[in-house]
Amino acid sequence: MEASATGALDGSRLARAADVLSALTASDLRARYGRGPWQLVKWLADPFALVGIYLLLVTFILRRPGEAPGLSLACAVIPFQLVMMTIINAMGAVQLRGSIIRNLAFDRVLIPVSSTLTEAVAFGASLVLFAVLMVAYRVSPTTAIFRLPAAIATTLLFSVACAYVASLIGVWFQDLRPLVVSFVRALFFLAPGLVAIGDIGGRAETFVKLNPLTGLFELYRSALLGDPAVRAWEFASPLAWAVVFLVVALPLYAREQSQFAKVVE
């Protein structure tokens, strides 16, 4: 009887958390991307534009196109956009929801998760770019493509972990937001974003692997370009950083959430 009651209580809490996440994400989507069919156009246009710009840079300026350069770039740009936009969203998420934080009782620990889910909608729409580029470069899918869901799940978990850190920065150090954005952008170029890691080599390759974005980018490349090898570090690096971020930031966030009503404008 007690087990049944506990199960019902846990189910009720999960259902309430799902409802809160749905409401927060829906309101965030309307605030950030507006309403109407043009949302989908914007979501799809951003990664196409970024991949096109970087493709011109790699092909005509750096002259290091490599294998299926557009697809290789998309494997970096698309997951990076999710991480980057999640961090930008999360840094302003508490302030954005100031009115409901002051007037409603809800689980505020879910706010960073909703920031990730908001950007995950655009991320999901961007995945069509992979299919388009695979067709354009005549890259046939192999069994390695079954690792793509694991790559997506790793990206989402890493983004959630970053969201908790970014939310605390947005509350405690609002003036540092531009610096954080610049730092995250720098991490893209300090990872194999423009070229695959195999084109780096030497001691630099060892240091580049410490960057969590390196593992994310290479996960997508190995899955979509048909690399049969499974390299544990590609998963281990971003997951290890995600665990560190969550262990440090989540307890701090949970402790500080009761004070948010005092700091929001």
Side-chain angles (χ1 to χ4, degrees), residues 47-119:
F48 272 90
L50 284 172
V51 170
I53 291 170
Y54 287 133
L55 183 59
L56 290 174
L57 173 65
V58 170
T59 304
F60 295 104
I61 298 178
L62 300 181
R63 301 194 179 192
R64 300 180 64 182
E67 177 189 0
L71 179 57
S72 180
L73 283 169
C75 289
V77 170
I78 290 177
F80 176 71
Q81 277 292 96
L82 174 58
V83 175
M84 180 70 173
M85 296 309 298
T86 293
I87 290 172
I88 293 174
N89 186 335
M91 283 193 292
V94 173
Q95 297 290 346
L96 180 66
R97 296 179 174 87
S99 61
I100 63 172
I101 287 175
R102 288 191 298 267
N103 297 296
L104 294 177
F106 67 98
D107 191 353
R108 295 159 188 170
V109 172
L110 298 175
I111 292 177
V113 180
S114 73
S115 295
T116 305
L117 293 179
T118 298
E119 304 307 330

Side-chain angles (χ1 to χ4, degrees), residues 8-164:
L9 183 60
D10 290 342
S12 176
R13 288 175 178 173
L14 287 174
R16 177 170 175 75
D19 289 341
V20 171
L21 276 176
S22 177
L24 290 173
T25 303
S27 64
D28 203 9
L29 281 170
R30 288 192 294 269
R32 288 179 59 79
Y33 296 106
R35 303 170 183 267
W38 286 106
Q39 291 184 52
L40 181 60
V41 175
K42 174 177 172 49
W43 293 338
L44 292 176
D46 285 348
F48 272 90
L50 284 172
V51 170
I53 291 170
Y54 287 133
L55 183 59
L56 290 174
L57 173 65
V58 170
T59 304
F60 295 104
I61 298 178
L62 300 181
R63 301 194 179 192
R64 300 180 64 182
E67 177 189 0
L71 179 57
S72 180
L73 283 169
C75 289
V77 170
I78 290 177
F80 176 71
Q81 277 292 96
L82 174 58
V83 175
M84 180 70 173
M85 296 309 298
T86 293
I87 290 172
I88 293 174
N89 186 335
M91 283 193 292
V94 173
Q95 297 290 346
L96 180 66
R97 296 179 174 87
S99 61
I100 63 172
I101 287 175
R102 288 191 298 267
N103 297 296
L104 294 177
F106 67 98
D107 191 353
R108 295 159 188 170
V109 172
L110 298 175
I111 292 177
V113 180
S114 73
S115 295
T116 305
L117 293 179
T118 298
E119 304 307 330
V121 175
F123 171 73
S126 300
L127 293 178
V128 69
L129 182 56
F130 287 144
V132 170
L133 290 172
M134 289 181 75
V135 172
Y137 286 106
R138 299 180 181 179
V139 176
S140 300
T142 67
T143 55
I145 203 168
F146 291 110
R147 297 201 295 268
L148 184 59
I152 293 172
T154 301
T155 309
L156 288 170
L157 178 59
F158 180 73
S159 298
V160 168
C162 290
Y164 279 100

Side-chain angles (χ1 to χ4, degrees), residues 194-214:
L194 300 182
V195 295
I197 194 169
D199 296 328
I200 298 176
R203 184 176 298 178
E205 180 177 335
T206 302
F207 287 109
V208 163
K209 287 181 179 179
L210 298 176
N211 185 338
L213 296 179
T214 299

